[in-house]
Short mmCIF file of all heavy atoms in Angstrom, two decimals:
data_model
loop_
_atom_site.label_atom_id
_atom_site.label_comp_id
_atom_site.label_asym_id
_atom_site.label_seq_id
_atom_site.Cartn_x
_atom_site.Cartn_y
_atom_site.Cartn_z
N MET A 1 66.71 -153.88 -42.00
CA MET A 1 65.75 -152.97 -42.63
C MET A 1 66.09 -151.50 -42.34
O MET A 1 65.85 -150.63 -43.18
CB MET A 1 64.34 -153.31 -42.17
CG MET A 1 63.84 -154.62 -42.75
SD MET A 1 62.18 -155.03 -42.18
CE MET A 1 61.62 -156.03 -43.56
N SER A 2 66.66 -151.25 -41.18
CA SER A 2 67.08 -149.88 -40.88
C SER A 2 68.24 -149.47 -41.78
O SER A 2 68.31 -148.33 -42.25
CB SER A 2 67.51 -149.77 -39.41
OG SER A 2 66.43 -150.04 -38.55
N MET A 3 69.16 -150.41 -42.04
CA MET A 3 70.28 -150.11 -42.93
C MET A 3 69.80 -149.76 -44.34
O MET A 3 70.34 -148.87 -44.99
CB MET A 3 71.24 -151.30 -42.98
CG MET A 3 72.45 -151.09 -43.88
SD MET A 3 73.61 -149.86 -43.24
CE MET A 3 74.65 -150.93 -42.23
N GLU A 4 68.77 -150.46 -44.82
CA GLU A 4 68.17 -150.12 -46.11
C GLU A 4 67.79 -148.64 -46.16
O GLU A 4 68.11 -147.93 -47.10
CB GLU A 4 66.90 -150.93 -46.35
CG GLU A 4 67.07 -152.37 -46.73
CD GLU A 4 65.72 -153.02 -46.99
OE1 GLU A 4 64.88 -152.39 -47.66
OE2 GLU A 4 65.49 -154.14 -46.50
N LEU A 5 67.10 -148.20 -45.13
CA LEU A 5 66.53 -146.85 -45.13
C LEU A 5 67.56 -145.76 -44.89
O LEU A 5 67.57 -144.74 -45.59
CB LEU A 5 65.39 -146.77 -44.10
CG LEU A 5 64.14 -147.57 -44.47
CD1 LEU A 5 63.22 -147.71 -43.28
CD2 LEU A 5 63.40 -146.90 -45.63
N ILE A 6 68.44 -145.95 -43.92
CA ILE A 6 69.40 -144.87 -43.64
C ILE A 6 70.46 -144.78 -44.75
O ILE A 6 71.00 -143.70 -45.01
CB ILE A 6 70.06 -145.01 -42.25
CG1 ILE A 6 70.84 -146.32 -42.10
CG2 ILE A 6 69.01 -144.88 -41.15
CD1 ILE A 6 71.55 -146.45 -40.75
N SER A 7 70.74 -145.90 -45.43
CA SER A 7 71.69 -145.85 -46.55
C SER A 7 71.10 -145.10 -47.74
O SER A 7 71.83 -144.60 -48.60
CB SER A 7 72.06 -147.27 -46.98
OG SER A 7 70.97 -147.91 -47.61
N MET A 8 69.77 -145.02 -47.79
CA MET A 8 69.08 -144.37 -48.90
C MET A 8 69.54 -142.93 -49.12
O MET A 8 69.50 -142.42 -50.23
CB MET A 8 67.57 -144.43 -48.63
CG MET A 8 66.71 -144.01 -49.78
SD MET A 8 64.98 -144.45 -49.50
CE MET A 8 64.60 -143.51 -48.03
N GLU A 9 70.01 -142.29 -48.05
CA GLU A 9 70.47 -140.91 -48.16
C GLU A 9 71.75 -140.81 -48.99
O GLU A 9 72.19 -139.70 -49.34
CB GLU A 9 70.71 -140.33 -46.76
CG GLU A 9 69.45 -140.25 -45.90
CD GLU A 9 68.30 -139.53 -46.62
OE1 GLU A 9 68.46 -138.32 -46.91
OE2 GLU A 9 67.27 -140.17 -46.90
N TYR A 10 72.36 -141.97 -49.33
CA TYR A 10 73.61 -141.98 -50.10
C TYR A 10 73.48 -142.78 -51.39
O TYR A 10 74.48 -143.16 -52.00
CB TYR A 10 74.75 -142.53 -49.22
CG TYR A 10 74.78 -141.82 -47.89
CD1 TYR A 10 74.22 -142.41 -46.75
CD2 TYR A 10 75.30 -140.52 -47.77
CE1 TYR A 10 74.20 -141.73 -45.54
CE2 TYR A 10 75.27 -139.85 -46.56
CZ TYR A 10 74.72 -140.46 -45.45
OH TYR A 10 74.68 -139.78 -44.25
N TRP A 11 72.26 -142.98 -51.82
CA TRP A 11 72.03 -143.74 -53.04
C TRP A 11 72.35 -142.97 -54.31
O TRP A 11 72.22 -143.49 -55.41
CB TRP A 11 70.59 -144.26 -53.08
CG TRP A 11 70.36 -145.43 -52.17
CD1 TRP A 11 71.23 -145.97 -51.27
CD2 TRP A 11 69.16 -146.22 -52.09
NE1 TRP A 11 70.66 -147.04 -50.62
CE2 TRP A 11 69.39 -147.21 -51.10
CE3 TRP A 11 67.94 -146.17 -52.73
CZ2 TRP A 11 68.41 -148.15 -50.76
CZ3 TRP A 11 66.96 -147.10 -52.39
CH2 TRP A 11 67.21 -148.09 -51.41
N ASP A 12 72.77 -141.72 -54.15
CA ASP A 12 73.20 -140.98 -55.34
C ASP A 12 74.46 -141.62 -55.94
O ASP A 12 74.84 -141.30 -57.08
CB ASP A 12 73.44 -139.50 -55.04
CG ASP A 12 74.37 -139.27 -53.86
OD1 ASP A 12 74.64 -140.22 -53.10
OD2 ASP A 12 74.84 -138.13 -53.68
N GLU A 13 75.11 -142.50 -55.18
CA GLU A 13 76.22 -143.28 -55.74
C GLU A 13 75.73 -144.21 -56.85
O GLU A 13 76.46 -144.51 -57.79
CB GLU A 13 76.92 -144.11 -54.65
CG GLU A 13 77.59 -143.30 -53.55
CD GLU A 13 78.81 -142.54 -54.04
OE1 GLU A 13 79.29 -142.83 -55.17
OE2 GLU A 13 79.29 -141.65 -53.31
N PHE A 14 74.49 -144.67 -56.74
CA PHE A 14 73.91 -145.56 -57.74
C PHE A 14 73.09 -144.81 -58.78
O PHE A 14 72.96 -145.26 -59.91
CB PHE A 14 72.99 -146.59 -57.06
CG PHE A 14 73.69 -147.47 -56.06
CD1 PHE A 14 73.78 -147.12 -54.71
CD2 PHE A 14 74.28 -148.65 -56.47
CE1 PHE A 14 74.42 -147.93 -53.80
CE2 PHE A 14 74.94 -149.48 -55.56
CZ PHE A 14 75.01 -149.11 -54.22
N TYR A 15 72.53 -143.67 -58.36
CA TYR A 15 71.66 -142.90 -59.24
C TYR A 15 72.17 -141.46 -59.31
O TYR A 15 71.83 -140.63 -58.45
CB TYR A 15 70.22 -142.93 -58.71
CG TYR A 15 69.69 -144.32 -58.44
CD1 TYR A 15 69.62 -144.81 -57.13
CD2 TYR A 15 69.28 -145.15 -59.48
CE1 TYR A 15 69.15 -146.09 -56.87
CE2 TYR A 15 68.81 -146.44 -59.23
CZ TYR A 15 68.74 -146.89 -57.92
OH TYR A 15 68.28 -148.16 -57.66
N THR A 16 72.98 -141.18 -60.32
CA THR A 16 73.58 -139.83 -60.43
C THR A 16 72.57 -138.82 -60.96
O THR A 16 72.70 -137.63 -60.70
CB THR A 16 74.80 -139.87 -61.36
OG1 THR A 16 74.44 -140.47 -62.61
CG2 THR A 16 75.93 -140.69 -60.72
N ASP A 17 71.57 -139.28 -61.69
CA ASP A 17 70.50 -138.40 -62.18
C ASP A 17 69.55 -138.13 -61.00
O ASP A 17 69.00 -139.06 -60.41
CB ASP A 17 69.75 -139.09 -63.31
CG ASP A 17 68.66 -138.22 -63.92
OD1 ASP A 17 67.99 -137.48 -63.16
OD2 ASP A 17 68.46 -138.29 -65.14
N PRO A 18 69.34 -136.84 -60.64
CA PRO A 18 68.46 -136.51 -59.50
C PRO A 18 67.06 -137.10 -59.63
O PRO A 18 66.46 -137.50 -58.63
CB PRO A 18 68.41 -134.98 -59.52
CG PRO A 18 69.68 -134.58 -60.18
CD PRO A 18 69.94 -135.63 -61.22
N ASP A 19 66.53 -137.16 -60.86
CA ASP A 19 65.20 -137.72 -61.05
C ASP A 19 65.19 -139.23 -60.78
O ASP A 19 64.23 -139.76 -60.20
CB ASP A 19 64.70 -137.46 -62.48
CG ASP A 19 64.34 -135.99 -62.69
OD1 ASP A 19 64.04 -135.30 -61.69
OD2 ASP A 19 64.37 -135.54 -63.85
N ASP A 20 66.27 -139.91 -61.18
CA ASP A 20 66.39 -141.34 -60.90
C ASP A 20 66.46 -141.58 -59.39
O ASP A 20 65.86 -142.52 -58.87
CB ASP A 20 67.64 -141.92 -61.57
CG ASP A 20 67.48 -142.05 -63.07
OD1 ASP A 20 66.38 -141.75 -63.58
OD2 ASP A 20 68.46 -142.45 -63.73
N LEU A 21 67.21 -140.72 -58.71
CA LEU A 21 67.34 -140.85 -57.26
C LEU A 21 65.99 -140.67 -56.58
O LEU A 21 65.64 -141.43 -55.66
CB LEU A 21 68.35 -139.83 -56.73
CG LEU A 21 68.60 -139.85 -55.21
CD1 LEU A 21 69.13 -141.20 -54.77
CD2 LEU A 21 69.57 -138.73 -54.82
N LYS A 22 65.24 -139.68 -57.04
CA LYS A 22 63.90 -139.46 -56.48
C LYS A 22 63.03 -140.70 -56.67
O LYS A 22 62.33 -141.14 -55.75
CB LYS A 22 63.23 -138.26 -57.16
CG LYS A 22 63.72 -136.91 -56.68
CD LYS A 22 62.94 -135.79 -57.34
CE LYS A 22 63.37 -134.43 -56.81
NZ LYS A 22 62.57 -133.33 -57.43
N LYS A 23 63.10 -141.26 -57.88
CA LYS A 23 62.30 -142.45 -58.16
C LYS A 23 62.68 -143.61 -57.24
O LYS A 23 61.83 -144.31 -56.71
CB LYS A 23 62.49 -142.87 -59.62
CG LYS A 23 61.79 -141.99 -60.64
CD LYS A 23 62.05 -142.49 -62.05
CE LYS A 23 61.42 -141.56 -63.06
NZ LYS A 23 59.95 -141.50 -62.90
N ALA A 24 63.99 -143.79 -57.06
CA ALA A 24 64.47 -144.89 -56.22
C ALA A 24 64.03 -144.70 -54.77
O ALA A 24 63.63 -145.67 -54.11
CB ALA A 24 65.99 -144.98 -56.30
N LYS A 25 64.08 -143.48 -54.29
CA LYS A 25 63.67 -143.21 -52.90
C LYS A 25 62.17 -143.42 -52.72
O LYS A 25 61.73 -144.01 -51.72
CB LYS A 25 64.04 -141.77 -52.52
CG LYS A 25 65.52 -141.57 -52.21
CD LYS A 25 65.75 -140.17 -51.67
CE LYS A 25 67.16 -140.01 -51.12
NZ LYS A 25 67.36 -138.69 -50.49
N ILE A 26 61.39 -142.93 -53.67
CA ILE A 26 59.94 -143.11 -53.57
C ILE A 26 59.59 -144.60 -53.61
O ILE A 26 58.76 -145.09 -52.83
CB ILE A 26 59.21 -142.36 -54.71
CG1 ILE A 26 59.29 -140.85 -54.47
CG2 ILE A 26 57.75 -142.79 -54.81
CD1 ILE A 26 58.82 -140.01 -55.63
N GLU A 27 60.28 -145.33 -54.50
CA GLU A 27 60.03 -146.77 -54.60
C GLU A 27 60.37 -147.47 -53.28
O GLU A 27 59.65 -148.36 -52.84
CB GLU A 27 60.88 -147.35 -55.73
CG GLU A 27 60.63 -148.84 -55.94
CD GLU A 27 61.44 -149.38 -57.11
OE1 GLU A 27 61.26 -148.88 -58.23
OE2 GLU A 27 62.25 -150.30 -56.89
N GLU A 28 61.48 -147.07 -52.67
CA GLU A 28 61.88 -147.68 -51.40
C GLU A 28 60.86 -147.37 -50.30
O GLU A 28 60.43 -148.27 -49.58
CB GLU A 28 63.26 -147.16 -50.98
CG GLU A 28 63.72 -147.58 -49.60
CD GLU A 28 64.06 -149.05 -49.46
OE1 GLU A 28 64.18 -149.74 -50.48
OE2 GLU A 28 64.19 -149.52 -48.31
N LEU A 29 60.46 -146.11 -50.20
CA LEU A 29 59.51 -145.72 -49.15
C LEU A 29 58.14 -146.35 -49.38
O LEU A 29 57.52 -146.86 -48.44
CB LEU A 29 59.40 -144.19 -49.08
CG LEU A 29 60.63 -143.49 -48.49
CD1 LEU A 29 60.56 -141.99 -48.74
CD2 LEU A 29 60.75 -143.78 -47.00
N GLU A 30 57.68 -146.31 -50.62
CA GLU A 30 56.41 -146.98 -50.92
C GLU A 30 56.52 -148.47 -50.62
O GLU A 30 55.59 -149.08 -50.09
CB GLU A 30 56.03 -146.79 -52.39
CG GLU A 30 55.35 -145.48 -52.70
CD GLU A 30 54.78 -145.46 -54.11
OE1 GLU A 30 55.24 -146.23 -54.96
OE2 GLU A 30 53.87 -144.64 -54.36
N GLY A 31 57.67 -149.03 -50.98
CA GLY A 31 57.88 -150.46 -50.78
C GLY A 31 57.79 -150.88 -49.33
O GLY A 31 57.30 -151.97 -49.02
N THR A 32 58.25 -150.02 -48.42
CA THR A 32 58.17 -150.37 -46.99
C THR A 32 56.72 -150.57 -46.56
O THR A 32 56.43 -151.42 -45.73
CB THR A 32 58.80 -149.28 -46.10
OG1 THR A 32 58.09 -148.05 -46.26
CG2 THR A 32 60.26 -149.07 -46.43
#
């Protein structure tokens, strides 16, 4: 679970659109 969260800082590899990245991060944090 820690790997999920600390890797999140590099998810721009999956989401090149800044808005998509924001959405993915919010979803991850809300999901926790």
Side-chain angles (χ1 to χ4, degrees):
M1 290 179 153
S2 297
M3 180 69 88
E4 284 182 44
L5 290 166
I6 60 177
S7 70
M8 190 167 61
E9 297 308 296
Y10 310 100
W11 284 7
D12 53 346
E13 296 291 347
F14 300 91
Y15 308 102
T16 53
D17 183 322
D19 288 336
D20 286 357
L21 180 60
K22 282 184 177 182
K23 286 180 183 299
K25 283 187 170 185
I26 289 170
E27 183 178 301
E28 173 70 13
L29 288 168
E30 277 191 338
T32 62

